[in-house]
Coordinates of all heavy atoms in Angstrom, one line a residue:
M27 N -0.3 22.6 31.3 CA -0.6 22.2 29.9 C 0.1 23.1 28.9 O -0.1 24.3 29.0 CB -2.1 22.2 29.7 CG -2.5 21.7 28.3 SD -4.3 21.7 28.2 CE -4.5 20.3 27.1
K28 N 0.8 22.5 28.0 CA 1.6 23.3 27.0 C 0.7 23.6 25.9 O 0.0 22.8 25.3 CB 2.8 22.5 26.6 CG 3.7 23.2 25.6 CD 4.9 22.4 25.3 CE 5.7 23.2 24.3 NZ 6.9 22.4 23.8
T29 N 0.8 24.9 25.4 CA 0.0 25.3 24.2 C 0.7 24.8 23.0 O 1.9 24.9 22.8 CB -0.1 26.8 24.2 OG1 -0.7 27.3 25.4 CG2 -1.0 27.3 23.0
R30 N -0.1 24.2 22.0 CA 0.5 23.7 20.8 C 0.4 24.8 19.7 O -0.4 25.7 19.8 CB -0.2 22.5 20.4 CG -0.1 21.4 21.3 CD -0.7 20.2 20.8 NE -0.4 19.0 21.6 CZ -0.4 17.8 21.2 NH1 -0.8 17.5 20.0 NH2 -0.1 16.8 22.0
E31 N 1.2 24.6 18.7 CA 1.2 25.5 17.6 C -0.1 25.3 16.8 O -0.6 24.2 16.6 CB 2.4 25.1 16.6 CG 2.4 26.0 15.4 CD 3.8 26.5 15.1 OE1 4.7 26.2 15.9 OE2 3.9 27.1 14.1
P32 N -0.8 26.4 16.4 CA -2.0 26.3 15.7 C -2.0 25.4 14.5 O -3.0 24.7 14.3 CB -2.3 27.8 15.2 CG -1.6 28.6 16.2 CD -0.3 27.8 16.5
T33 N -1.0 25.4 13.7 CA -1.0 24.5 12.5 C -1.0 23.0 12.9 O -1.7 22.2 12.3 CB 0.2 24.8 11.6 OG1 1.4 24.7 12.4 CG2 0.2 26.1 10.9
L34 N -0.3 22.7 14.0 CA -0.4 21.3 14.5 C -1.7 21.0 15.0 O -2.2 19.8 14.8 CB 0.7 21.1 15.6 CG 2.1 21.2 15.2 CD1 3.0 21.0 16.4 CD2 2.4 20.2 14.1
M35 N -2.4 21.9 15.6 CA -3.8 21.6 16.1 C -4.7 21.4 14.9 O -5.6 20.5 15.0 CB -4.3 22.7 17.0 CG -3.6 22.8 18.3 SD -4.2 23.9 19.6 CE -3.9 25.5 18.7
I36 N -4.6 22.2 14.0 CA -5.4 22.0 12.7 C -5.2 20.6 12.1 O -6.1 20.0 11.7 CB -5.2 23.1 11.7 CG1 -5.6 24.5 12.3 CG2 -5.9 22.9 10.4 CD1 -5.2 25.7 11.6
E37 N -3.9 20.3 11.9 CA -3.5 19.0 11.3 C -4.1 17.9 12.1 O -4.6 16.9 11.5 CB -2.0 18.9 11.1 CG -1.5 19.8 10.1 CD 0.0 19.8 10.0 OE1 0.7 19.3 11.0 OE2 0.6 20.4 9.1
E38 N -4.0 17.9 13.4 CA -4.4 16.8 14.3 C -6.0 16.7 14.2 O -6.5 15.6 14.2 CB -4.1 17.1 15.7 CG -2.6 16.8 15.9 CD -2.1 17.1 17.3 OE1 -2.9 17.3 18.2 OE2 -0.9 17.1 17.5
L39 N -6.7 17.8 14.1 CA -8.2 17.8 14.0 C -8.5 17.3 12.6 O -9.5 16.4 12.6 CB -8.7 19.2 14.2 CG -10.2 19.3 14.1 CD1 -10.9 18.4 15.1 CD2 -10.6 20.8 14.3
M40 N -7.8 17.7 11.6 CA -8.1 17.1 10.3 C -7.9 15.6 10.2 O -8.7 14.8 9.6 CB -7.2 17.8 9.2 CG -7.7 19.2 9.0 SD -6.6 20.0 7.8 CE -7.0 19.2 6.3
Y41 N -6.8 15.2 10.9 CA -6.5 13.7 10.9 C -7.6 13.0 11.6 O -8.0 11.9 11.2 CB -5.1 13.5 11.7 CG -4.7 12.0 11.8 CD1 -4.0 11.5 10.8 CD2 -5.1 11.3 12.9 CE1 -3.6 10.2 10.9 CE2 -4.7 10.0 13.0 CZ -4.0 9.4 12.0 OH -3.6 8.1 12.1
F42 N -8.0 13.5 12.8 CA -9.1 12.9 13.6 C -10.4 12.8 12.7 O -11.0 11.7 12.6 CB -9.4 13.6 14.9 CG -10.5 13.0 15.6 CD1 -10.2 12.0 16.5 CD2 -11.8 13.5 15.5 CE1 -11.3 11.3 17.2 CE2 -12.8 12.9 16.2 CZ -12.5 11.8 17.1
I43 N -10.8 13.9 12.1 CA -12.0 13.9 11.3 C -11.8 12.9 10.1 O -12.8 12.1 9.9 CB -12.3 15.3 10.7 CG1 -12.7 16.2 11.9 CG2 -13.4 15.3 9.7 CD1 -12.8 17.6 11.5
F44 N -10.7 12.9 9.4 CA -10.5 12.0 8.3 C -10.6 10.5 8.7 O -11.2 9.7 8.0 CB -9.2 12.4 7.6 CG -8.9 11.5 6.3 CD1 -9.6 11.8 5.2 CD2 -8.0 10.6 6.3 CE1 -9.4 11.0 4.1 CE2 -7.8 9.8 5.2 CZ -8.5 10.0 4.1
H45 N -9.9 10.2 9.7 CA -9.8 8.8 10.0 C -10.9 8.2 10.9 O -11.4 7.1 10.8 CB -8.5 8.5 10.7 CG -7.3 8.6 9.8 ND1 -7.0 7.6 8.9 CD2 -6.4 9.5 9.6 CE1 -6.0 7.9 8.1 NE2 -5.6 9.1 8.5
N46 N -11.5 9.1 11.8 CA -12.5 8.6 12.7 C -14.0 8.9 12.3 O -14.9 8.2 12.6 CB -12.3 9.2 14.1 CG -11.0 8.7 14.7 OD1 -10.7 7.5 14.7 ND2 -10.1 9.6 15.1
E47 N -14.1 10.0 11.6 CA -15.5 10.4 11.2 C -15.8 10.0 9.8 O -16.9 9.6 9.4 CB -15.7 11.9 11.4 CG -15.6 12.4 12.8 CD -16.7 11.8 13.7 OE1 -17.8 11.5 13.2 OE2 -16.4 11.6 14.9
M48 N -14.8 10.1 8.9 CA -14.9 9.9 7.5 C -14.4 8.5 7.1 O -14.5 8.2 5.9 CB -14.3 11.0 6.7 CG -14.8 12.4 7.0 SD -13.9 13.7 6.2 CE -14.8 13.8 4.7
N49 N -13.9 7.7 8.0 CA -13.4 6.4 7.7 C -12.3 6.4 6.7 O -12.3 5.4 5.8 CB -14.5 5.4 7.4 CG -15.5 5.3 8.5 OD1 -15.2 5.2 9.6 ND2 -16.8 5.2 8.2
G50 N -11.5 7.4 6.6 CA -10.4 7.4 5.7 C -10.7 7.7 4.2 O -9.9 7.4 3.3
E51 N -12.0 8.2 4.0 CA -12.4 8.4 2.6 C -12.9 9.8 2.5 O -13.7 10.2 3.3 CB -13.5 7.4 2.2 CG -13.0 5.9 2.1 CD -14.2 5.1 1.7 OE1 -15.3 5.5 1.2 OE2 -13.9 3.8 1.8
L52 N -12.5 10.5 1.4 CA -13.1 11.8 1.2 C -14.3 11.7 0.4 O -14.4 11.3 -0.8 CB -12.1 12.7 0.4 CG -10.8 13.1 1.2 CD1 -9.9 13.9 0.3 CD2 -11.2 13.9 2.4
N53 N -15.4 12.0 1.0 CA -16.7 11.8 0.4 C -17.4 13.2 0.5 O -17.7 13.8 1.5 CB -17.6 10.8 1.2 CG -19.0 10.6 0.7 OD1 -19.4 11.3 -0.3 ND2 -19.8 9.7 1.3
P54 N -17.7 13.8 -0.7 CA -18.3 15.2 -0.7 C -19.7 15.2 0.0 O -20.1 16.3 0.3 CB -18.4 15.4 -2.2 CG -18.2 14.2 -2.9 CD -17.5 13.2 -2.0
D55 N -20.3 14.1 0.2 CA -21.7 14.1 0.8 C -21.6 13.9 2.3 O -22.6 14.0 3.0 CB -22.5 13.1 0.2 CG -22.8 13.2 -1.3 OD1 -22.9 14.4 -1.7 OD2 -22.9 12.3 -2.1
H56 N -20.4 13.7 2.8 CA -20.3 13.5 4.3 C -20.6 14.8 5.0 O -20.1 15.9 4.6 CB -18.9 13.0 4.6 CG -18.7 12.4 5.9 ND1 -18.6 13.2 7.1 CD2 -18.8 11.1 6.4 CE1 -18.6 12.5 8.1 NE2 -18.7 11.2 7.8
P57 N -21.2 14.7 6.2 CA -21.6 16.0 6.9 C -20.3 16.8 7.4 O -20.4 18.0 7.5 CB -22.3 15.4 8.2 CG -22.8 14.1 7.8 CD -21.8 13.5 6.8
F58 N -19.2 16.1 7.6 CA -18.0 16.8 8.0 C -17.1 17.3 6.9 O -16.1 17.9 7.1 CB -17.1 15.9 8.9 CG -17.7 15.8 10.3 CD1 -18.4 14.7 10.7 CD2 -17.5 16.8 11.2 CE1 -18.8 14.5 11.9 CE2 -18.0 16.7 12.5 CZ -18.7 15.6 12.9
M59 N -17.5 17.1 5.6 CA -16.7 17.5 4.5 C -16.5 19.0 4.4 O -15.4 19.4 4.2 CB -17.3 16.9 3.2 CG -16.4 17.1 2.0 SD -14.9 16.2 2.2 CE -14.0 16.6 0.7
D60 N -17.5 19.8 4.7 CA -17.4 21.2 4.6 C -16.4 21.7 5.7 O -15.5 22.6 5.4 CB -18.7 21.9 4.8 CG -19.7 21.8 3.6 OD1 -19.1 21.5 2.5 OD2 -20.8 21.9 3.8
L61 N -16.5 21.1 6.9 CA -15.5 21.5 7.9 C -14.1 21.1 7.5 O -13.2 21.9 7.7 CB -15.9 20.8 9.2 CG -14.9 20.9 10.4 CD1 -14.8 22.4 10.8 CD2 -15.4 20.1 11.6
Y62 N -13.9 19.9 7.0 CA -12.6 19.4 6.6 C -12.0 20.3 5.5 O -10.8 20.7 5.6 CB -12.7 18.0 6.1 CG -11.4 17.3 5.8 CD1 -10.8 16.7 6.8 CD2 -10.8 17.4 4.5 CE1 -9.5 16.1 6.6 CE2 -9.6 16.8 4.3 CZ -9.0 16.1 5.3 OH -7.8 15.6 5.1
V63 N -12.8 20.8 4.5 CA -12.3 21.7 3.5 C -11.9 23.1 4.1 O -10.9 23.6 3.8 CB -13.3 21.8 2.4 CG1 -13.0 23.0 1.4 CG2 -13.5 20.5 1.6
E64 N -12.7 23.5 5.0 CA -12.4 24.9 5.6 C -11.2 24.7 6.5 O -10.4 25.7 6.5 CB -13.6 25.3 6.4 CG -14.8 25.8 5.6 CD -14.5 26.9 4.6 OE1 -13.8 27.8 4.9 OE2 -15.0 26.7 3.5
L65 N -11.0 23.7 7.2 CA -9.8 23.5 8.0 C -8.6 23.4 7.0 O -7.5 24.0 7.3 CB -9.8 22.2 8.8 CG -10.7 22.3 10.0 CD1 -10.9 20.9 10.6 CD2 -10.2 23.2 11.0
Q66 N -8.7 22.8 5.8 CA -7.6 22.8 4.9 C -7.2 24.1 4.4 O -6.1 24.5 4.3 CB -8.0 21.8 3.7 CG -6.8 21.7 2.7 CD -5.6 21.1 3.3 OE1 -5.7 20.0 3.9 NE2 -4.4 21.7 3.1
K67 N -8.3 24.9 4.1 CA -8.1 26.3 3.7 C -7.4 27.1 4.8 O -6.4 27.9 4.5 CB -9.4 27.0 3.3 CG -10.0 26.5 2.1 CD -11.3 27.2 1.8 CE -12.1 26.6 0.7 NZ -13.4 27.3 0.6
L68 N -7.8 27.0 6.0 CA -7.2 27.7 7.1 C -5.7 27.2 7.3 O -4.8 28.1 7.5 CB -7.9 27.4 8.4 CG -7.4 28.0 9.7 CD1 -7.3 29.5 9.6 CD2 -8.2 27.5 10.9
L69 N -5.4 25.9 7.2 CA -4.1 25.4 7.3 C -3.2 26.0 6.1 O -2.1 26.4 6.4 CB -4.1 23.9 7.2 CG -2.7 23.2 7.3 CD1 -2.1 23.5 8.7 CD2 -2.9 21.7 7.1
D70 N -3.8 26.1 4.9 CA -3.0 26.7 3.8 C -2.7 28.1 4.1 O -1.6 28.6 3.8 CB -3.8 26.5 2.5 CG -3.9 25.1 2.0 OD1 -3.1 24.2 2.5 OD2 -4.8 24.9 1.2
R71 N -3.7 28.9 4.6 CA -3.4 30.3 4.9 C -2.3 30.4 6.0 O -1.4 31.3 5.9 CB -4.7 31.0 5.4 CG -5.6 31.3 4.2 CD -6.7 32.3 4.7 NE -7.5 31.8 5.8 CZ -8.6 31.1 5.6 NH1 -9.1 30.8 4.5 NH2 -9.3 30.7 6.7
Q72 N -2.4 29.6 7.0 CA -1.4 29.6 8.0 C 0.0 29.3 7.5 O 1.0 30.0 7.9 CB -1.7 28.7 9.2 CG -2.9 29.1 10.1 CD -2.7 30.3 10.8 OE1 -1.6 30.6 11.2 NE2 -3.8 31.0 11.0
N73 N 0.1 28.3 6.8 CA 1.4 28.0 6.1 C 1.9 29.1 5.2 O 3.1 29.3 5.1 CB 1.3 26.7 5.4 CG 1.2 25.5 6.3 OD1 1.7 25.6 7.4 ND2 0.6 24.4 5.9
Q74 N 1.0 29.7 4.4 CA 1.4 30.8 3.6 C 1.9 32.0 4.4 O 2.9 32.6 4.0 CB 0.3 31.2 2.7 CG 0.6 32.2 1.6 CD 1.7 31.7 0.6 OE1 1.6 30.6 0.2 NE2 2.7 32.5 0.3
K75 N 1.3 32.3 5.5 CA 1.7 33.4 6.4 C 3.2 33.1 6.9 O 4.0 34.0 6.9 CB 0.8 33.6 7.6 CG -0.4 34.2 7.3 CD -1.3 34.4 8.5 CE -2.6 34.9 8.3 NZ -3.4 34.9 9.5
R76 N 3.4 31.8 7.3 CA 4.7 31.4 7.7 C 5.7 31.6 6.6 O 6.8 32.1 6.9 CB 4.7 30.0 8.3 CG 6.0 29.6 8.8 CD 6.0 28.1 9.2 NE 5.1 28.0 10.3 CZ 4.5 26.8 10.7 NH1 4.9 25.7 10.0 NH2 3.7 26.7 11.6
Y77 N 5.4 31.2 5.5 CA 6.3 31.3 4.3 C 6.6 32.7 4.0 O 7.7 33.1 3.8 CB 5.7 30.5 3.1 CG 6.5 30.7 1.9 CD1 7.8 30.0 1.7 CD2 6.2 31.6 0.9 CE1 8.6 30.1 0.6 CE2 7.0 31.8 -0.3 CZ 8.2 31.0 -0.4 OH 8.9 31.3 -1.6
D78 N 5.5 33.5 3.9 CA 5.7 35.0 3.6 C 6.6 35.7 4.6 O 7.4 36.5 4.3 CB 4.3 35.7 3.6 CG 3.5 35.3 2.4 OD1 4.1 34.7 1.4 OD2 2.3 35.5 2.4
L79 N 6.4 35.4 5.9 CA 7.2 35.9 7.0 C 8.7 35.5 6.7 O 9.6 36.3 6.8 CB 6.7 35.5 8.4 CG 7.5 36.0 9.6 CD1 7.5 37.5 9.6 CD2 7.0 35.4 10.8
Y80 N 8.9 34.2 6.5 CA 10.3 33.7 6.2 C 10.9 34.4 5.1 O 12.0 34.9 5.1 CB 10.3 32.2 5.9 CG 11.6 31.7 5.5 CD1 12.6 31.4 6.5 CD2 11.8 31.4 4.2 CE1 13.8 31.0 6.1 CE2 13.1 30.9 3.8 CZ 14.1 30.7 4.7 OH 15.3 30.2 4.3
V81 N 10.2 34.6 4.0 CA 10.7 35.3 2.8 C 11.0 36.7 3.1 O 12.1 37.2 2.7 CB 9.7 35.1 1.6 CG1 10.1 36.0 0.4 CG2 9.6 33.7 1.2
S82 N 10.1 37.4 3.8 CA 10.4 38.8 4.1 C 11.6 39.0 5.0 O 12.4 39.9 4.8 CB 9.2 39.5 4.7 OG 8.9 39.0 6.0
V83 N 11.8 38.1 6.0 CA 12.9 38.2 6.9 C 14.2 37.9 6.1 O 15.2 38.6 6.2 CB 12.8 37.2 8.1 CG1 14.1 37.1 8.8 CG2 11.6 37.7 9.0
T84 N 14.2 36.9 5.3 CA 15.3 36.5 4.4 C 15.7 37.7 3.5 O 16.9 38.0 3.3 CB 15.0 35.3 3.6 OG1 14.7 34.2 4.5 CG2 16.2 34.8 2.8
A85 N 14.7 38.3 2.9 CA 15.0 39.4 2.0 C 15.6 40.6 2.8 O 16.5 41.3 2.3 CB 13.7 39.9 1.3
D86 N 15.1 40.9 4.0 CA 15.7 42.0 4.8 C 17.1 41.7 5.1 O 17.9 42.6 5.1 CB 14.9 42.2 6.1 CG 13.5 42.9 5.9 OD1 13.4 43.4 4.7 OD2 12.7 42.8 6.7
E87 N 17.4 40.5 5.5 CA 18.8 40.1 5.8 C 19.7 40.3 4.6 O 20.9 40.6 4.8 CB 18.8 38.7 6.4 CG 18.2 38.5 7.7 CD 18.2 37.1 8.2 OE1 18.5 36.2 7.5 OE2 17.7 37.0 9.4
T88 N 19.2 40.0 3.5 CA 20.0 40.1 2.3 C 20.4 41.6 2.0 O 21.5 41.9 1.6 CB 19.3 39.5 1.1 OG1 18.9 38.1 1.4 CG2 20.1 39.5 -0.2
K89 N 19.4 42.4 2.2 CA 19.6 43.9 1.9 C 20.6 44.5 2.8 O 21.2 45.5 2.5 CB 18.2 44.6 1.9 CG 17.3 44.2 0.8 CD 16.0 45.0 0.9 CE 15.1 44.6 -0.2 NZ 13.8 45.3 -0.1
T90 N 20.6 44.0 4.1 CA 21.5 44.7 5.0 C 22.9 44.2 5.0 O 23.8 44.8 5.6 CB 21.0 44.4 6.5 OG1 20.9 43.1 6.7 CG2 19.6 45.1 6.7
K91 N 23.2 43.2 4.2 CA 24.6 42.7 4.1 C 25.5 43.5 3.2 O 25.1 44.2 2.4 CB 24.6 41.3 3.6 CG 24.0 40.3 4.7 CD 24.2 38.9 4.2 CE 23.6 37.9 5.2 NZ 23.7 36.5 4.7

């Protein structure tokens, strides 16, 4: 079994929750809404880490040229 990238797993879980548990509607009173919001925050943090790493690597390559 191949391990998937964490961001893809988060996105797939959010997709499942949104379409299967929440019926495609964001409802603040739904029991899964808190989980959905926390997954979105986690996904944002993961994407920001990836962006920060890319920017730092790009900046390092620029300085060494």
Side-chain angles (χ1 to χ4, degrees):
M27 179 181 217
K28 184 177 179 183
T29 304
R30 294 184 172 203
E31 177 135 357
T33 54
L34 292 177
M35 290 189 292
I36 295 168
E37 289 173 350
E38 289 177 6
L39 181 56
M40 289 177 67
Y41 180 88
F42 179 84
I43 291 170
F44 182 73
H45 289 283
N46 296 305
E47 298 295 332
M48 302 174 88
N49 297 322
E51 296 180 10
L52 291 177
N53 178 358
D55 297 325
H56 194 279
F58 282 102
M59 187 62 180
D60 290 338
L61 174 60
Y62 189 85
V63 169
E64 291 302 316
L65 286 170
Q66 182 63 53
K67 290 178 186 178
L68 179 60
L69 183 61
D70 290 344
R71 282 194 302 270
Q72 290 294 329
N73 287 332
Q74 186 62 44
K75 284 180 187 178
R76 182 183 298 159
Y77 175 77
D78 289 346
L79 179 63
Y80 172 78
V81 170
S82 69
V83 168
T84 302
D86 285 346
E87 289 175 355
T88 304
K89 291 179 183 178
T90 58
K91 289 183 179 179

